[in-house]
Amino acid sequence: MFGGGTALRPSTPDGRIKVTDQIVWINCVPPDGVPRRMAAFAGESLLEVLDRHSTPGIWADCEGGDKENSMRPYQVPVDFYSAGVHCAQCAVHIPNPWFDKLNRKPDTEVRRLTTREEGNSSFVRLACCVKVRPDMNEMVCVVGNNRSTDGEWFGGDNPQAF
């Protein structure tokens, strides 16, 4: 049962899966100007990578939308039966040739990018809607200052806010 030649083996030369084969390297330039090289795994969202590495300039209040949007390999980036993304504070600029390799923009991302106050380039995407794939290895992403101009939600000067 467990021996012989009947065990399933991955299609690698030695029949072993290496963690380093699953890592995708992302090069990020945050607003502080200090470039960072981050390890990502195929199948997770770019927002999960940026959050894990505590990247400056990312304030994703909605954390990628509804919790159903967990970006696991068996899911699509946005659950079309939910509200989807709504804060757009995880916007990143991804230049070519990597921009052409990204997954399709969902309707909720397009709608949110057109209604946000900050200007958009033609290469802007929301990090919560970008799915990391192996062909995106050594991708460059530039993070702008995504802080909302509405101010702090829980630290404003108006005592009547709550």
PDB file of all heavy atoms in Angstrom, residues 146-162:
ATOM      1  N   ASN A 146      -1.325  55.563   0.633  1.00  0.00           N
ATOM      2  CA  ASN A 146      -2.733  55.263   0.429  1.00  0.00           C
ATOM      3  C   ASN A 146      -3.632  55.730   1.561  1.00  0.00           C
ATOM      4  O   ASN A 146      -4.781  55.330   1.629  1.00  0.00           O
ATOM      5  CB  ASN A 146      -2.917  53.752   0.245  1.00  0.00           C
ATOM      6  CG  ASN A 146      -2.355  53.283  -1.075  1.00  0.00           C
ATOM      7  OD1 ASN A 146      -2.690  53.837  -2.114  1.00  0.00           O
ATOM      8  ND2 ASN A 146      -1.502  52.296  -1.040  1.00  0.00           N
ATOM      9  N   ARG A 147      -3.128  56.553   2.449  1.00  0.00           N
ATOM     10  CA  ARG A 147      -3.951  57.006   3.563  1.00  0.00           C
ATOM     11  C   ARG A 147      -5.118  57.833   3.034  1.00  0.00           C
ATOM     12  O   ARG A 147      -4.957  58.695   2.196  1.00  0.00           O
ATOM     13  CB  ARG A 147      -3.118  57.843   4.526  1.00  0.00           C
ATOM     14  CG  ARG A 147      -3.885  58.444   5.671  1.00  0.00           C
ATOM     15  CD  ARG A 147      -4.426  57.406   6.614  1.00  0.00           C
ATOM     16  NE  ARG A 147      -3.403  56.940   7.508  1.00  0.00           N
ATOM     17  CZ  ARG A 147      -3.613  56.052   8.437  1.00  0.00           C
ATOM     18  NH1 ARG A 147      -4.802  55.520   8.587  1.00  0.00           N
ATOM     19  NH2 ARG A 147      -2.651  55.666   9.217  1.00  0.00           N
ATOM     20  N   SER A 148      -6.305  57.535   3.520  1.00  0.00           N
ATOM     21  CA  SER A 148      -7.494  58.256   3.097  1.00  0.00           C
ATOM     22  C   SER A 148      -7.410  59.702   3.548  1.00  0.00           C
ATOM     23  O   SER A 148      -6.900  60.009   4.622  1.00  0.00           O
ATOM     24  CB  SER A 148      -8.740  57.594   3.706  1.00  0.00           C
ATOM     25  OG  SER A 148      -9.876  58.356   3.441  1.00  0.00           O
ATOM     26  N   THR A 149      -7.922  60.622   2.735  1.00  0.00           N
ATOM     27  CA  THR A 149      -7.890  62.034   3.095  1.00  0.00           C
ATOM     28  C   THR A 149      -8.992  62.402   4.088  1.00  0.00           C
ATOM     29  O   THR A 149      -9.071  63.536   4.519  1.00  0.00           O
ATOM     30  CB  THR A 149      -8.045  62.912   1.843  1.00  0.00           C
ATOM     31  OG1 THR A 149      -9.272  62.565   1.190  1.00  0.00           O
ATOM     32  CG2 THR A 149      -6.884  62.700   0.898  1.00  0.00           C
ATOM     33  N   ASP A 150      -9.822  61.431   4.442  1.00  0.00           N
ATOM     34  CA  ASP A 150     -10.883  61.705   5.409  1.00  0.00           C
ATOM     35  C   ASP A 150     -10.356  61.786   6.834  1.00  0.00           C
ATOM     36  O   ASP A 150     -11.089  62.152   7.738  1.00  0.00           O
ATOM     37  CB  ASP A 150     -11.966  60.616   5.348  1.00  0.00           C
ATOM     38  CG  ASP A 150     -12.659  60.604   4.003  1.00  0.00           C
ATOM     39  OD1 ASP A 150     -12.669  61.666   3.345  1.00  0.00           O
ATOM     40  OD2 ASP A 150     -13.172  59.551   3.617  1.00  0.00           O
ATOM     41  N   GLY A 151      -9.098  61.447   7.077  1.00  0.00           N
ATOM     42  CA  GLY A 151      -8.528  61.498   8.411  1.00  0.00           C
ATOM     43  C   GLY A 151      -8.673  60.180   9.137  1.00  0.00           C
ATOM     44  O   GLY A 151      -9.153  59.194   8.605  1.00  0.00           O
ATOM     45  N   GLU A 152      -8.228  60.195  10.380  1.00  0.00           N
ATOM     46  CA  GLU A 152      -8.301  58.997  11.198  1.00  0.00           C
ATOM     47  C   GLU A 152      -9.740  58.709  11.574  1.00  0.00           C
ATOM     48  O   GLU A 152     -10.487  59.606  11.945  1.00  0.00           O
ATOM     49  CB  GLU A 152      -7.474  59.170  12.476  1.00  0.00           C
ATOM     50  CG  GLU A 152      -5.990  59.380  12.228  1.00  0.00           C
ATOM     51  CD  GLU A 152      -5.328  58.104  11.793  1.00  0.00           C
ATOM     52  OE1 GLU A 152      -5.844  57.020  12.098  1.00  0.00           O
ATOM     53  OE2 GLU A 152      -4.287  58.197  11.130  1.00  0.00           O
ATOM     54  N   TRP A 153     -10.129  57.446  11.513  1.00  0.00           N
ATOM     55  CA  TRP A 153     -11.497  57.082  11.860  1.00  0.00           C
ATOM     56  C   TRP A 153     -11.742  57.186  13.354  1.00  0.00           C
ATOM     57  O   TRP A 153     -12.786  57.596  13.795  1.00  0.00           O
ATOM     58  CB  TRP A 153     -11.782  55.655  11.414  1.00  0.00           C
ATOM     59  CG  TRP A 153     -11.950  55.528   9.940  1.00  0.00           C
ATOM     60  CD1 TRP A 153     -11.737  56.491   8.994  1.00  0.00           C
ATOM     61  CD2 TRP A 153     -12.381  54.385   9.254  1.00  0.00           C
ATOM     62  NE1 TRP A 153     -11.994  56.011   7.754  1.00  0.00           N
ATOM     63  CE2 TRP A 153     -12.395  54.700   7.885  1.00  0.00           C
ATOM     64  CE3 TRP A 153     -12.746  53.127   9.629  1.00  0.00           C
ATOM     65  CZ2 TRP A 153     -12.779  53.810   6.912  1.00  0.00           C
ATOM     66  CZ3 TRP A 153     -13.120  52.219   8.654  1.00  0.00           C
ATOM     67  CH2 TRP A 153     -13.138  52.567   7.324  1.00  0.00           C
ATOM     68  N   PHE A 154     -10.758  56.805  14.154  1.00  0.00           N
ATOM     69  CA  PHE A 154     -10.970  56.766  15.598  1.00  0.00           C
ATOM     70  C   PHE A 154     -10.143  57.779  16.350  1.00  0.00           C
ATOM     71  O   PHE A 154     -10.026  57.709  17.547  1.00  0.00           O
ATOM     72  CB  PHE A 154     -10.659  55.348  16.126  1.00  0.00           C
ATOM     73  CG  PHE A 154     -11.526  54.297  15.503  1.00  0.00           C
ATOM     74  CD1 PHE A 154     -11.003  53.403  14.593  1.00  0.00           C
ATOM     75  CD2 PHE A 154     -12.865  54.223  15.793  1.00  0.00           C
ATOM     76  CE1 PHE A 154     -11.792  52.451  14.003  1.00  0.00           C
ATOM     77  CE2 PHE A 154     -13.674  53.273  15.202  1.00  0.00           C
ATOM     78  CZ  PHE A 154     -13.145  52.373  14.315  1.00  0.00           C
ATOM     79  N   GLY A 155      -9.509  58.698  15.674  1.00  0.00           N
ATOM     80  CA  GLY A 155      -8.648  59.643  16.365  1.00  0.00           C
ATOM     81  C   GLY A 155      -8.835  61.063  15.885  1.00  0.00           C
ATOM     82  O   GLY A 155      -7.898  61.843  15.907  1.00  0.00           O
ATOM     83  N   GLY A 156     -10.003  61.430  15.435  1.00  0.00           N
ATOM     84  CA  GLY A 156     -10.226  62.780  14.937  1.00  0.00           C
ATOM     85  C   GLY A 156     -10.389  63.790  16.043  1.00  0.00           C
ATOM     86  O   GLY A 156     -10.395  63.482  17.237  1.00  0.00           O
ATOM     87  N   ASP A 157     -10.513  65.068  15.673  1.00  0.00           N
ATOM     88  CA  ASP A 157     -10.655  66.156  16.637  1.00  0.00           C
ATOM     89  C   ASP A 157     -12.098  66.442  16.986  1.00  0.00           C
ATOM     90  O   ASP A 157     -12.378  67.238  17.865  1.00  0.00           O
ATOM     91  CB  ASP A 157     -10.021  67.421  16.059  1.00  0.00           C
ATOM     92  CG  ASP A 157      -8.522  67.267  15.849  1.00  0.00           C
ATOM     93  OD1 ASP A 157      -7.909  66.490  16.627  1.00  0.00           O
ATOM     94  OD2 ASP A 157      -7.978  67.914  14.939  1.00  0.00           O
ATOM     95  N   ASN A 158     -13.038  65.822  16.298  1.00  0.00           N
ATOM     96  CA  ASN A 158     -14.448  66.097  16.526  1.00  0.00           C
ATOM     97  C   ASN A 158     -14.991  65.178  17.617  1.00  0.00           C
ATOM     98  O   ASN A 158     -15.147  63.975  17.411  1.00  0.00           O
ATOM     99  CB  ASN A 158     -15.229  65.886  15.223  1.00  0.00           C
ATOM    100  CG  ASN A 158     -16.680  66.281  15.360  1.00  0.00           C
ATOM    101  OD1 ASN A 158     -17.133  66.730  16.419  1.00  0.00           O
ATOM    102  ND2 ASN A 158     -17.411  66.120  14.276  1.00  0.00           N
ATOM    103  N   PRO A 159     -15.306  65.733  18.808  1.00  0.00           N
ATOM    104  CA  PRO A 159     -15.824  64.864  19.879  1.00  0.00           C
ATOM    105  C   PRO A 159     -17.250  64.370  19.613  1.00  0.00           C
ATOM    106  O   PRO A 159     -17.700  63.436  20.244  1.00  0.00           O
ATOM    107  CB  PRO A 159     -15.782  65.757  21.122  1.00  0.00           C
ATOM    108  CG  PRO A 159     -15.810  67.148  20.592  1.00  0.00           C
ATOM    109  CD  PRO A 159     -15.158  67.103  19.245  1.00  0.00           C
ATOM    110  N   GLN A 160     -17.955  64.975  18.666  1.00  0.00           N
ATOM    111  CA  GLN A 160     -19.320  64.571  18.341  1.00  0.00           C
ATOM    112  C   GLN A 160     -19.355  63.431  17.336  1.00  0.00           C
ATOM    113  O   GLN A 160     -20.430  63.003  16.923  1.00  0.00           O
ATOM    114  CB  GLN A 160     -20.102  65.764  17.777  1.00  0.00           C
ATOM    115  CG  GLN A 160     -20.151  66.967  18.693  1.00  0.00           C
ATOM    116  CD  GLN A 160     -20.858  66.640  20.002  1.00  0.00           C
ATOM    117  OE1 GLN A 160     -21.825  65.887  20.009  1.00  0.00           O
ATOM    118  NE2 GLN A 160     -20.366  67.182  21.090  1.00  0.00           N
ATOM    119  N   ALA A 161     -18.181  62.940  16.937  1.00  0.00           N
ATOM    120  CA  ALA A 161     -18.140  61.908  15.903  1.00  0.00           C
ATOM    121  C   ALA A 161     -18.699  60.583  16.389  1.00  0.00           C
ATOM    122  O   ALA A 161     -19.180  59.785  15.599  1.00  0.00           O
ATOM    123  CB  ALA A 161     -16.719  61.726  15.414  1.00  0.00           C
ATOM    124  N   PHE A 162     -18.678  60.335  17.703  1.00  0.00           N
ATOM    125  CA  PHE A 162     -19.139  59.043  18.201  1.00  0.00           C
ATOM    126  C   PHE A 162     -20.304  59.208  19.132  1.00  0.00           C
ATOM    127  O   PHE A 162     -20.367  59.878  20.031  1.00  0.00           O
ATOM    128  CB  PHE A 162     -18.009  58.300  18.911  1.00  0.00           C
ATOM    129  CG  PHE A 162     -16.872  58.006  17.983  1.00  0.00           C
ATOM    130  CD1 PHE A 162     -15.721  58.747  18.023  1.00  0.00           C
ATOM    131  CD2 PHE A 162     -16.971  57.010  17.028  1.00  0.00           C
ATOM    132  CE1 PHE A 162     -14.691  58.488  17.164  1.00  0.00           C
ATOM    133  CE2 PHE A 162     -15.937  56.739  16.175  1.00  0.00           C
ATOM    134  CZ  PHE A 162     -14.784  57.492  16.239  1.00  0.00           C
TER     135      PHE A 162
END
